[in-house]
Amino acid sequence: MNDPMYAMQRANGQWLLTQINSSLCLPVFRNATAARRVHDRIGDLMVYRPQPLDTTVIERLQNQMPNLKFWLVDEFAPTADLTPGRWLSPDEIRT
């Protein structure tokens, strides 16, 4: 079984969402270490914590937001934003 990918979630359950190329997307991180690395670099993420993504979470998000896309954040990009990265299909995220 592969390690899960992660996304950022607030204590109230709200997921971190952003707009990339005019599309609503969920920033995804390849693992917990990558999520923490970006979390430490971007001060606005202070209120979010890395949470693992599984099939149930992905399906729930897609049901709530049918046009939601997934964005794999480049954890090593030196910029203080989430835009360096690439699009992911939901199948690439599922564990």
Side-chain angles (χ1 to χ4, degrees), residues 9-74:
Q9 188 178 35
R10 295 176 80 145
N12 68 2
Q14 177 184 1
W15 291 94
L16 173 67
L17 300 172
T18 191
Q19 291 277 330
I20 296 182
N21 298 333
S22 301
S23 294
L24 180 65
C25 69
L26 178 77
V28 176
F29 306 88
R30 68 180 175 89
N31 56 33
T33 301
R36 284 190 297 274
R37 183 176 290 122
V38 174
H39 181 269
D40 292 345
R41 186 178 73 220
I42 302 176
D44 291 344
L45 300 182
M46 182 175 52
V47 297
Y48 291 91
R49 293 291 174 252
Q51 297 296 324
L53 294 172
D54 60 21
T55 301
T56 303
V57 171
I58 293 165
E59 288 173 358
R60 186 178 312 125
L61 289 168
Q62 288 181 307
N63 287 336
Q64 293 170 353
M65 297 170 276
N67 295 325
L68 182 67
K69 295 185 177 183
F70 300 93
W71 182 259
L72 180 63
V73 177
D74 180 353

